[in-house]
Coordinates of all heavy atoms in Angstrom, one line a residue:
M1 N 12.3 8.9 3.7 CA 11.6 7.8 4.1 C 11.7 6.6 3.1 O 11.5 6.9 2.1 CB 10.2 8.1 4.5 CG 10.0 8.8 5.8 SD 8.3 9.1 6.1 CE 7.8 10.4 4.8
N2 N 12.0 5.4 3.6 CA 12.0 4.3 2.7 C 11.0 3.3 3.0 O 10.7 2.9 4.2 CB 13.4 3.6 2.9 CG 13.6 2.6 1.9 OD1 13.2 2.6 0.8 ND2 14.5 1.5 2.2
V3 N 10.2 2.9 2.0 CA 9.1 2.0 2.2 C 9.6 0.6 2.0 O 10.3 0.2 0.9 CB 7.9 2.3 1.1 CG1 6.8 1.3 1.3 CG2 7.4 3.6 1.3
L4 N 9.3 -0.4 2.9 CA 9.8 -1.7 2.9 C 8.5 -2.5 2.5 O 7.4 -2.1 2.8 CB 10.3 -2.1 4.3 CG 11.5 -1.2 4.7 CD1 11.9 -1.4 6.1 CD2 12.7 -1.4 3.8
H5 N 8.7 -3.8 2.2 CA 7.6 -4.7 1.9 C 8.0 -6.0 2.4 O 9.1 -6.6 2.3 CB 7.5 -4.6 0.3 CG 6.5 -5.7 -0.2 ND1 6.5 -6.4 -1.3 CD2 5.2 -5.8 0.3 CE1 5.4 -7.0 -1.5 NE2 4.6 -6.7 -0.5
K6 N 6.9 -6.6 3.0 CA 7.1 -8.0 3.5 C 5.8 -8.8 3.0 O 4.7 -8.3 3.2 CB 7.1 -8.0 5.0 CG 7.9 -9.1 5.6 CD 8.0 -9.0 7.1 CE 9.0 -7.9 7.6 NZ 9.1 -7.9 9.1
K7 N 6.0 -10.0 2.5 CA 4.8 -10.8 2.1 C 5.1 -12.1 2.6 O 6.1 -12.8 2.7 CB 4.9 -10.8 0.4 CG 3.7 -11.5 -0.1 CD 3.7 -11.3 -1.6 CE 2.3 -11.8 -2.2 NZ 2.5 -13.2 -2.8
S8 N 3.9 -12.7 3.1 CA 3.9 -14.1 3.6 C 2.5 -14.7 3.1 O 1.5 -14.3 3.5 CB 3.9 -14.1 5.2 OG 3.7 -15.3 5.7
D9 N 2.7 -15.9 2.4 CA 1.5 -16.5 1.8 C 0.7 -15.6 1.0 O 1.2 -14.9 0.2 CB 0.7 -17.2 2.8 CG 1.5 -18.3 3.7 OD1 2.3 -19.0 2.9 OD2 1.4 -18.4 4.9
N10 N -0.6 -15.3 1.4 CA -1.4 -14.4 0.7 C -1.7 -13.0 1.4 O -2.5 -12.3 1.0 CB -2.9 -15.1 0.5 CG -3.6 -15.2 1.7 OD1 -3.1 -15.3 2.8 ND2 -4.9 -15.2 1.6
K11 N -0.8 -12.7 2.3 CA -0.9 -11.5 3.1 C 0.4 -10.7 2.9 O 1.5 -11.3 2.7 CB -1.2 -11.7 4.5 CG -2.6 -12.3 4.8 CD -2.9 -12.4 6.3 CE -4.3 -12.9 6.4 NZ -4.7 -13.1 7.8
G12 N 0.3 -9.4 3.0 CA 1.5 -8.6 3.0 C 1.2 -7.2 3.7 O 0.2 -6.8 3.9
V13 N 2.4 -6.5 3.7 CA 2.5 -5.2 4.3 C 3.5 -4.3 3.7 O 4.7 -4.8 3.5 CB 2.6 -5.3 5.8 CG1 3.9 -6.0 6.3 CG2 2.4 -3.9 6.4
F14 N 3.2 -3.1 3.4 CA 4.1 -2.1 3.0 C 4.3 -1.2 4.3 O 3.2 -0.8 4.8 CB 3.7 -1.3 1.8 CG 3.7 -2.1 0.5 CD1 2.5 -2.7 0.1 CD2 4.7 -2.1 -0.3 CE1 2.4 -3.4 -1.1 CE2 4.6 -2.9 -1.4 CZ 3.4 -3.6 -1.9
Y15 N 5.5 -0.9 4.6 CA 5.7 -0.2 5.9 C 6.9 0.7 5.9 O 7.8 0.5 5.0 CB 5.7 -1.2 7.0 CG 6.9 -2.2 7.0 CD1 8.1 -2.0 7.8 CD2 6.9 -3.4 6.2 CE1 9.1 -2.8 7.8 CE2 7.9 -4.1 6.2 CZ 9.0 -4.0 6.9 OH 10.1 -4.8 6.8
I16 N 7.0 1.7 6.8 CA 8.1 2.5 6.9 C 8.5 2.4 8.4 O 7.7 2.5 9.4 CB 7.6 4.1 6.6 CG1 7.2 4.2 5.3 CG2 8.7 5.0 7.1 CD1 6.4 5.6 5.1
E17 N 9.8 2.3 8.5 CA 10.4 2.2 9.9 C 11.2 3.5 10.2 O 12.0 4.0 9.2 CB 11.4 1.0 10.0 CG 10.6 -0.4 10.1 CD 11.6 -1.5 10.3 OE1 12.8 -1.3 10.2 OE2 11.0 -2.6 10.6
V18 N 11.2 3.9 11.4 CA 12.1 5.0 11.8 C 12.8 4.4 13.1 O 12.2 4.1 14.0 CB 11.3 6.2 12.1 CG1 12.2 7.3 12.8 CG2 10.5 6.7 10.9
D19 N 14.2 4.4 12.9 CA 14.9 3.9 14.0 C 14.5 2.5 14.5 O 14.5 2.2 15.7 CB 14.8 4.9 15.4 CG 15.4 6.3 15.0 OD1 16.3 6.4 14.2 OD2 14.9 7.3 15.5
G20 N 14.2 1.7 13.5 CA 13.9 0.3 13.7 C 12.5 0.0 14.2 O 12.2 -1.1 14.5
L21 N 11.7 1.1 14.3 CA 10.3 0.9 14.8 C 9.3 1.2 13.7 O 9.5 2.3 12.9 CB 10.0 1.8 16.0 CG 10.9 1.6 17.2 CD1 10.6 2.7 18.2 CD2 10.6 0.3 17.8
K22 N 8.3 0.3 13.4 CA 7.3 0.6 12.4 C 6.5 1.8 12.8 O 5.7 1.9 13.8 CB 6.4 -0.6 12.2 CG 5.7 -0.8 11.0 CD 4.8 -1.9 10.8 CE 5.6 -3.1 10.6 NZ 4.9 -4.4 10.5
K23 N 6.4 2.8 11.9 CA 5.7 4.1 12.1 C 4.5 4.3 11.1 O 3.8 5.1 11.4 CB 6.6 5.3 12.0 CG 7.8 5.1 13.0 CD 7.3 5.4 14.4 CE 8.5 5.3 15.5 NZ 8.0 5.7 16.7
A24 N 4.5 3.4 10.1 CA 3.4 3.6 9.1 C 3.4 2.3 8.4 O 4.3 1.6 8.1 CB 3.8 4.6 8.1
E25 N 2.1 1.8 8.1 CA 2.0 0.5 7.4 C 0.6 0.4 6.6 O -0.4 1.2 7.0 CB 1.9 -0.6 8.4 CG 0.7 -0.8 9.3 CD 0.8 -2.2 10.2 OE1 1.9 -2.8 10.2 OE2 -0.3 -2.3 10.8
M26 N 0.6 -0.3 5.6 CA -0.6 -0.5 4.8 C -0.6 -2.0 4.5 O 0.3 -2.6 3.9 CB -0.4 0.2 3.5 CG -1.7 0.1 2.7 SD -1.6 1.0 1.1 CE -0.3 0.1 0.2
T27 N -1.6 -2.7 4.9 CA -1.7 -4.2 4.9 C -2.6 -4.4 3.6 O -3.5 -3.8 3.3 CB -2.3 -4.8 6.2 OG1 -3.6 -4.3 6.5 CG2 -1.4 -4.6 7.3
Y28 N -2.4 -5.7 3.2 CA -3.2 -6.2 2.1 C -3.3 -7.8 2.1 O -2.5 -8.3 2.8 CB -2.6 -5.8 0.7 CG -1.2 -6.4 0.5 CD1 -1.2 -7.7 -0.4 CD2 0.0 -5.8 0.7 CE1 0.0 -8.2 -0.7 CE2 1.1 -6.4 0.3 CZ 1.2 -7.6 -0.3 OH 2.4 -8.2 -0.6
V29 N -4.3 -8.3 1.5 CA -4.6 -9.7 1.3 C -4.6 -10.0 -0.3 O -5.3 -9.2 -1.0 CB -5.9 -10.1 1.9 CG1 -6.2 -11.6 1.7 CG2 -5.9 -9.8 3.3
M30 N -4.0 -11.0 -0.8 CA -4.0 -11.4 -2.1 C -5.3 -12.3 -2.3 O -5.6 -13.2 -1.5 CB -2.8 -12.1 -2.6 CG -1.6 -11.3 -2.6 SD -1.7 -9.9 -3.7 CE -1.9 -10.7 -5.4
A31 N -6.2 -11.9 -3.3 CA -7.2 -12.9 -3.7 C -6.9 -13.5 -5.0 O -7.0 -12.9 -6.1 CB -8.5 -11.9 -3.8
G32 N -6.3 -14.6 -4.9 CA -5.6 -15.3 -6.1 C -4.4 -14.7 -6.4 O -3.8 -14.0 -5.6
E33 N -3.9 -14.8 -7.7 CA -2.6 -14.5 -8.1 C -2.4 -13.0 -8.5 O -1.4 -12.5 -8.5 CB -2.0 -15.3 -9.2 CG -1.9 -16.8 -8.7 CD -0.8 -17.0 -7.7 OE1 0.5 -16.3 -7.9 OE2 -1.0 -17.7 -6.7
T34 N -3.7 -12.5 -9.0 CA -3.6 -11.1 -9.5 C -4.5 -10.0 -9.0 O -4.8 -9.0 -9.6 CB -4.0 -11.3 -11.1 OG1 -5.3 -11.8 -11.1 CG2 -2.9 -12.3 -11.8
K35 N -4.9 -10.3 -7.7 CA -5.8 -9.1 -7.2 C -5.3 -8.9 -5.8 O -5.4 -9.9 -4.9 CB -7.3 -9.7 -7.1 CG -8.2 -8.6 -6.6 CD -9.6 -9.2 -6.8 CE -10.7 -8.4 -6.1 NZ -12.0 -9.2 -6.2
M36 N -5.0 -7.7 -5.4 CA -4.5 -7.3 -4.2 C -5.6 -6.4 -3.5 O -6.0 -5.4 -4.2 CB -3.3 -6.4 -4.3 CG -2.8 -5.8 -3.0 SD -1.4 -4.6 -3.3 CE -0.1 -5.6 -3.6
I37 N -6.1 -6.8 -2.3 CA -7.0 -6.1 -1.6 C -6.3 -5.3 -0.5 O -5.9 -5.9 0.6 CB -8.1 -6.9 -1.0 CG1 -8.8 -7.7 -2.2 CG2 -9.3 -6.1 -0.2 CD1 -9.7 -8.8 -1.7
I38 N -6.3 -3.9 -0.6 CA -5.7 -3.1 0.4 C -6.8 -2.9 1.5 O -7.9 -2.3 1.3 CB -5.2 -1.8 -0.1 CG1 -4.1 -2.0 -1.1 CG2 -4.8 -0.9 1.1 CD1 -3.7 -0.7 -1.8
D39 N -6.5 -3.5 2.7 CA -7.5 -3.3 3.8 C -7.3 -2.6 4.8 O -8.3 -2.2 5.7 CB -7.8 -4.8 4.4 CG -6.6 -5.5 4.8 OD1 -5.5 -4.9 4.9 OD2 -6.6 -6.9 5.0
H40 N -6.0 -1.9 5.1 CA -5.8 -1.0 6.3 C -4.5 -0.3 6.0 O -3.6 -0.7 5.5 CB -5.7 -2.0 7.5 CG -5.3 -1.2 8.7 ND1 -6.2 -0.5 9.4 CD2 -4.1 -1.1 9.4 CE1 -5.6 0.1 10.4 NE2 -4.4 -0.3 10.4
T41 N -4.7 1.0 6.4 CA -3.6 1.9 6.3 C -3.5 2.6 7.7 O -4.5 3.1 8.1 CB -3.5 2.9 5.2 OG1 -3.8 2.3 4.0 CG2 -2.4 3.7 5.2
E42 N -2.3 2.7 8.3 CA -2.1 3.3 9.5 C -0.8 4.1 9.6 O 0.2 3.5 9.3 CB -2.2 2.3 10.7 CG -2.0 3.0 12.1 CD -2.3 2.0 13.2 OE1 -2.4 0.8 13.0 OE2 -2.1 2.5 14.4
V43 N -0.9 5.4 9.9 CA 0.3 6.3 10.1 C 0.3 6.8 11.4 O -0.6 7.5 11.8 CB 0.3 7.3 9.0 CG1 1.5 8.3 9.1 CG2 0.3 6.7 7.6
L44 N 1.3 6.7 12.2 CA 1.4 7.2 13.5 C 1.7 8.7 13.4 O 2.1 9.3 12.5 CB 2.6 6.5 14.3 CG 2.4 5.0 14.5 CD1 3.6 4.5 15.4 CD2 1.0 4.7 15.1
A45 N 1.3 9.3 14.6 CA 1.3 10.9 14.6 C 2.6 11.6 14.1 O 2.5 12.5 13.4 CB 1.0 11.2 16.1
E46 N 3.8 10.9 14.5 CA 5.0 11.6 14.1 C 5.3 11.6 12.5 O 6.0 12.5 12.1 CB 6.2 10.9 14.8 CG 6.4 9.6 14.4 CD 7.5 8.9 15.4 OE1 7.2 8.6 16.3 OE2 8.7 8.9 14.9
L47 N 4.6 10.8 11.8 CA 4.7 10.9 10.3 C 3.4 11.5 9.6 O 3.4 11.7 8.4 CB 5.1 9.5 9.8 CG 6.3 8.8 10.2 CD1 6.6 7.5 9.4 CD2 7.4 9.7 9.9
S48 N 2.5 11.7 10.5 CA 1.3 12.3 9.9 C 1.5 13.7 9.3 O 2.2 14.5 9.8 CB 0.2 12.5 11.1 OG -1.0 12.9 10.5
G49 N 1.0 13.8 8.1 CA 1.0 15.0 7.3 C 2.3 15.1 6.5 O 2.6 16.1 5.8
K50 N 3.2 14.0 6.5 CA 4.4 14.1 5.8 C 4.4 13.2 4.5 O 5.5 12.9 3.9 CB 5.6 13.6 6.7 CG 5.7 14.5 7.9 CD 6.9 14.1 8.9 CE 7.0 15.0 10.0 NZ 7.8 14.7 10.9
G51 N 3.3 12.7 4.0 CA 3.1 11.9 2.9 C 3.4 10.4 2.9 O 3.5 9.8 2.1
A52 N 3.6 10.1 4.3 CA 3.9 8.7 4.4 C 2.9 7.7 3.8 O 3.2 6.7 3.1 CB 4.1 8.3 5.9
G53 N 1.6 8.0 4.1 CA 0.5 7.1 3.6 C 0.5 7.1 2.0 O 0.3 6.0 1.5
K54 N 0.6 8.2 1.3 CA 0.8 8.2 0.0 C 2.0 7.5 -0.6 O 1.9 6.8 -1.6 CB 0.8 9.7 -0.6 CG -0.5 10.4 -0.3 CD -0.4 11.7 -1.0 CE -1.7 12.6 -0.7 NZ -1.7 13.9 -1.0
M55 N 3.0 7.5 0.2 CA 4.2 6.7 -0.2 C 4.0 5.2 -0.2 O 4.3 4.4 -1.0 CB 5.4 7.0 0.6 CG 6.0 8.4 0.5 SD 7.2 8.7 1.7 CE 8.5 7.5 1.2
L56 N 3.1 4.8 0.7 CA 2.8 3.4 1.0 C 2.0 3.0 -0.3 O 2.1 1.9 -0.9 CB 2.1 3.1 2.2 CG 2.8 3.4 3.5 CD1 1.9 3.3 4.7 CD2 4.0 2.5 3.6
V57 N 0.9 3.8 -0.6 CA 0.1 3.5 -1.8 C 0.9 3.4 -3.2 O 0.8 2.6 -3.9 CB -1.1 4.5 -1.8 CG1 -1.9 4.2 -3.2 CG2 -2.0 4.4 -0.7
E58 N 1.8 4.4 -3.2 CA 2.7 4.4 -4.3 C 3.5 3.3 -4.6 O 3.7 2.7 -5.7 CB 3.6 5.7 -4.3 CG 4.4 5.9 -5.5 CD 5.3 7.2 -5.4 OE1 4.8 8.2 -4.8 OE2 6.5 7.1 -5.8
K59 N 4.1 2.7 -3.4 CA 4.9 1.5 -3.5 C 4.1 0.3 -3.8 O 4.5 -0.5 -4.6 CB 5.6 1.3 -2.2 CG 6.7 0.3 -2.3 CD 7.8 0.8 -3.2 CE 9.0 1.3 -2.6 NZ 10.1 1.5 -3.4
A60 N 2.7 0.2 -3.3 CA 1.9 -0.8 -3.8 C 1.6 -0.8 -5.3 O 1.5 -1.9 -5.9 CB 0.6 -0.8 -2.9
V61 N 1.4 0.4 -5.7 CA 1.1 0.6 -7.2 C 2.3 0.1 -8.1 O 2.2 -0.6 -9.0 CB 0.7 2.1 -7.5 CG1 0.7 2.3 -9.0 CG2 -0.6 2.4 -6.9
E62 N 3.6 0.5 -7.7 CA 4.7 0.0 -8.3 C 4.9 -1.5 -8.4 O 5.1 -2.1 -9.3 CB 6.0 0.6 -7.7 CG 6.3 2.1 -7.9 CD 7.5 2.6 -7.0 OE1 8.3 1.8 -6.6 OE2 7.6 3.8 -6.9
Y63 N 4.5 -2.1 -7.2 CA 4.6 -3.6 -7.0 C 3.6 -4.1 -7.9 O 3.9 -5.2 -8.6 CB 4.4 -3.9 -5.5 CG 4.4 -5.3 -5.2 CD1 5.5 -6.1 -5.1 CD2 3.3 -6.2 -5.1 CE1 5.6 -7.4 -4.9 CE2 3.2 -7.4 -4.9 CZ 4.5 -8.1 -4.8 OH 4.4 -9.5 -4.5
A64 N 2.4 -3.6 -8.0 CA 1.4 -4.2 -8.8 C 1.7 -4.2 -10.3 O 1.5 -5.0 -11.0 CB 0.0 -3.4 -8.5
R65 N 2.2 -3.0 -10.7 CA 2.5 -2.8 -12.0 C 3.7 -3.8 -12.5 O 3.7 -4.4 -13.6 CB 3.1 -1.4 -12.3 CG 1.9 -0.4 -12.4 CD 2.4 1.0 -12.7 NE 1.4 2.0 -12.7 CZ 1.4 3.2 -12.3 NH1 2.5 3.7 -11.9 NH2 0.3 4.0 -12.5
K66 N 4.7 -4.0 -11.6 CA 5.8 -4.9 -11.9 C 5.3 -6.3 -12.0 O 5.9 -7.2 -12.7 CB 6.8 -4.7 -10.7 CG 8.1 -5.4 -11.2 CD 9.2 -5.4 -10.0 CE 9.3 -4.0 -9.5 NZ 10.4 -4.1 -8.3
N67 N 4.3 -6.7 -11.2 CA 3.9 -8.1 -11.1 C 2.5 -8.4 -11.8 O 2.0 -9.5 -11.6 CB 3.7 -8.5 -9.6 CG 5.2 -8.5 -8.9 OD1 5.9 -9.4 -9.2 ND2 5.4 -7.4 -8.3
G68 N 1.9 -7.5 -12.5 CA 0.7 -7.7 -13.3 C -0.5 -7.9 -12.3 O -1.4 -8.8 -12.6
I69 N -0.6 -7.2 -11.3 CA -1.6 -7.3 -10.3 C -2.6 -6.1 -10.4 O -2.1 -5.0 -10.6 CB -0.9 -7.4 -8.8 CG1 -0.1 -8.6 -8.7 CG2 -2.0 -7.3 -7.7 CD1 0.7 -8.6 -7.4
K70 N -3.9 -6.3 -10.1 CA -4.8 -5.3 -10.0 C -5.2 -5.0 -8.5 O -5.0 -6.0 -7.7 CB -6.1 -5.7 -10.6 CG -6.0 -5.6 -12.2 CD -5.6 -4.4 -12.9 CE -5.6 -4.6 -14.3 NZ -5.4 -3.2 -15.0
I71 N -5.4 -3.8 -8.1 CA -5.7 -3.5 -6.7 C -7.0 -3.1 -6.5 O -7.7 -2.2 -7.2 CB -4.7 -2.2 -6.2 CG1 -3.3 -2.6 -6.3 CG2 -5.0 -1.8 -4.8 CD1 -2.4 -1.5 -6.1
L72 N -7.7 -3.6 -5.3 CA -9.0 -3.1 -4.9 C -8.7 -2.5 -3.5 O -8.5 -3.2 -2.5 CB -9.8 -4.4 -4.7 CG -11.2 -4.2 -4.1 CD1 -12.0 -3.2 -5.0 CD2 -12.1 -5.5 -3.9
P73 N -8.9 -1.2 -3.5 CA -8.6 -0.5 -2.3 C -9.9 -0.3 -1.3 O -10.8 0.4 -1.6 CB -8.2 0.9 -2.7 CG -8.9 1.1 -4.0 CD -9.0 -0.3 -4.7
L74 N -9.9 -1.3 -0.3 CA -11.1 -1.2 0.5 C -10.9 -0.2 1.7 O -11.8 0.3 2.3 CB -11.4 -2.6 1.1 CG -11.9 -3.7 0.1 CD1 -12.3 -5.0 0.8 CD2 -13.1 -3.2 -0.7
C75 N -9.6 0.0 2.0 CA -9.3 0.9 3.1 C -9.7 2.3 2.5 O -9.4 2.7 1.4 CB -7.9 0.8 3.3 SG -7.1 2.3 4.0
T76 N -10.4 3.0 3.4 CA -10.9 4.4 2.9 C -9.7 5.4 2.6 O -9.8 6.1 1.6 CB -11.7 5.1 3.9 OG1 -11.1 5.0 5.3 CG2 -13.1 4.4 4.1
F77 N -8.5 5.3 3.3 CA -7.3 6.2 2.9 C -6.9 5.8 1.5 O -6.7 6.7 0.7 CB -6.3 6.0 3.9 CG -5.1 6.9 3.4 CD1 -5.0 8.2 3.7 CD2 -4.0 6.2 2.9 CE1 -3.9 9.0 3.2 CE2 -2.9 7.0 2.4 CZ -2.8 8.3 2.7
A78 N -6.6 4.5 1.2 CA -6.1 4.1 -0.1 C -7.1 4.4 -1.2 O -6.7 4.9 -2.2 CB -5.8 2.6 0.0
K79 N -8.4 4.2 -0.8 CA -9.4 4.5 -1.9 C -9.3 5.9 -2.3 O -9.4 6.3 -3.4 CB -10.8 4.1 -1.3 CG -11.9 4.2 -2.3 CD -13.2 3.6 -1.7 CE -14.2 3.6 -2.8 NZ -15.5 3.1 -2.3
T80 N -9.1 6.9 -1.3 CA -9.1 8.3 -1.4 C -8.0 8.7 -2.3 O -8.1 9.4 -3.3 CB -9.1 9.1 -0.1 OG1 -10.4 8.8 0.5 CG2 -9.0 10.6 -0.4
V81 N -6.8 8.0 -2.1 CA -5.6 8.3 -2.9 C -5.9 7.9 -4.3 O -5.4 8.6 -5.2 CB -4.4 7.7 -2.2 CG1 -3.1 7.7 -3.2 CG2 -4.1 8.1 -0.9
F82 N -6.4 6.8 -4.5 CA -6.7 6.3 -5.9 C -7.6 7.3 -6.6 O -7.5 7.6 -7.7 CB -7.2 4.9 -5.9 CG -6.2 3.8 -5.9 CD1 -5.7 3.2 -4.6 CD2 -5.7 3.3 -7.1 CE1 -4.8 2.3 -4.8 CE2 -4.8 2.3 -7.2 CZ -4.3 1.8 -6.0
E83 N -8.8 7.7 -5.9 CA -9.6 8.7 -6.5 C -8.9 9.9 -6.9 O -9.3 10.6 -7.9 CB -10.7 8.9 -5.5 CG -11.7 7.7 -5.3 CD -12.8 7.9 -4.2 OE1 -12.6 9.0 -3.5 OE2 -13.6 7.0 -4.0
K84 N -8.0 10.4 -6.2 CA -7.2 11.7 -6.3 C -6.1 11.6 -7.4 O -5.4 12.5 -7.7 CB -6.8 12.2 -5.1 CG -7.9 12.8 -4.1 CD -7.3 13.4 -2.8 CE -8.4 13.9 -2.0 NZ -7.9 14.4 -0.7
T85 N -5.8 10.3 -7.8 CA -4.5 10.0 -8.6 C -5.0 9.2 -9.8 O -4.8 8.0 -9.8 CB -3.5 9.3 -7.8 OG1 -3.4 9.9 -6.4 CG2 -2.2 9.4 -8.4
P86 N -5.4 9.8 -10.9 CA -5.9 9.1 -12.1 C -4.8 8.3 -12.7 O -5.0 7.3 -13.3 CB -6.2 10.1 -13.0 CG -6.6 11.4 -12.2 CD -5.6 11.2 -11.0
D87 N -3.5 8.6 -12.4 CA -2.4 7.8 -12.9 C -2.3 6.5 -12.4 O -1.7 5.5 -13.0 CB -0.9 8.6 -12.6 CG -0.7 9.8 -13.3 OD1 -1.5 10.0 -14.4 OD2 0.2 10.6 -13.0
Y88 N -3.1 6.1 -11.4 CA -3.0 4.9 -10.8 C -4.2 3.9 -11.4 O -4.3 2.8 -11.1 CB -3.2 4.9 -9.3 CG -2.0 5.5 -8.5 CD1 -2.2 5.9 -7.2 CD2 -0.8 5.7 -9.1 CE1 -1.0 6.4 -6.5 CE2 0.2 6.3 -8.5 CZ 0.1 6.7 -7.1 OH 1.1 7.2 -6.4
N89 N -5.0 4.5 -12.2 CA -6.3 3.8 -12.7 C -5.8 2.4 -13.3 O -6.6 1.6 -13.5 CB -7.0 4.7 -13.6 CG -7.8 5.8 -12.9 OD1 -7.9 5.7 -11.7 ND2 -8.3 6.7 -13.7
D90 N -4.6 2.4 -14.0 CA -4.3 1.2 -14.8 C -4.2 0.0 -13.9 O -4.3 -1.2 -14.3 CB -2.9 1.4 -15.5 CG -1.7 1.7 -14.5 OD1 -2.0 2.5 -13.6 OD2 -0.6 1.1 -14.7
V91 N -4.0 0.1 -12.5 CA -3.8 -1.2 -11.8 C -5.1 -1.2 -10.7 O -5.3 -2.1 -10.0 CB -2.7 -1.0 -10.7 CG1 -1.3 -0.9 -11.5 CG2 -2.7 0.2 -9.8
L92 N -6.1 -0.3 -11.0 CA -7.4 -0.3 -10.1 C -8.2 -1.4 -10.7 O -8.4 -1.7 -11.9 CB -8.1 0.9 -10.4 CG -9.1 1.3 -9.3 CD1 -8.4 1.3 -7.9 CD2 -9.6 2.8 -9.6
F93 N -8.7 -2.3 -9.7 CA -9.6 -3.4 -10.0 C -11.0 -3.0 -10.2 O -11.5 -2.2 -9.5 CB -9.5 -4.6 -9.0 CG -10.3 -5.7 -9.3 CD1 -9.8 -6.7 -10.0 CD2 -11.6 -5.8 -8.7 CE1 -10.6 -7.8 -10.4 CE2 -12.4 -7.0 -9.0 CZ -11.8 -7.9 -9.8

C-alpha cells in the first residue's frame, strides 16, 4: 500500500487508493505554518485490520519531521496511535 498526500491551502489529506479508488484517508487542517491538526481518519472495511490507518499516521509524522511541523491529533484513532508510539513524541504538539 502506498500513502499519497494532497494539500490545498490550509487543509490536506493523506490517503490510500486501491484500483484508483480512495479506501483510507486521514484529513488535517493547518493552524498557522507549524501546527497540523489531524481531525479525521477513515479506513474502509476492505483495508480494516491491515495497518492502513497506522500507515497514514506514520506518513503524517514523516511529513511533519521533514517540514518542522508539530501535530495535534484530535481524531481519536490518530490520538491512540500517538499514545501507543512513543517514537512519535518529537512531533506531538
Side-chain angles (χ1 to χ4, degrees):
M1 284 185 285
N2 189 27
V3 177
L4 304 168
H5 179 220
K6 214 180 272 185
K7 186 172 188 258
S8 172
D9 297 322
N10 69 330
K11 296 181 179 186
V13 60
F14 292 93
Y15 61 100
I16 296 170
E17 285 185 353
V18 177
D19 299 327
L21 301 172
K22 195 181 289 184
K23 299 294 182 175
E25 72 174 9
M26 184 179 69
T27 59
Y28 68 87
V29 175
M30 292 299 296
E33 297 292 314
T34 59
K35 184 174 169 187
M36 173 189 288
I37 300 169
I38 297 174
D39 54 10
H40 178 71
T41 304
E42 183 174 359
V43 177
L44 296 185
E46 67 190 80
L47 292 185
S48 185
K50 297 182 178 172
K54 288 180 185 176
M55 288 175 65
L56 296 172
V57 174
E58 183 179 321
K59 195 58 102 172
V61 169
E62 286 176 18
Y63 180 80
R65 285 177 176 153
K66 190 186 310 182
N67 293 283
I69 294 170
K70 295 291 185 183
I71 297 175
L72 176 61
L74 293 184
C75 157
T76 50
F77 175 81
K79 188 174 183 180
T80 300
V81 172
F82 272 91
E83 288 170 356
K84 292 180 177 179
T85 316
D87 287 351
Y88 295 167
N89 286 350
D90 62 309
V91 297
L92 204 52
F93 182 82

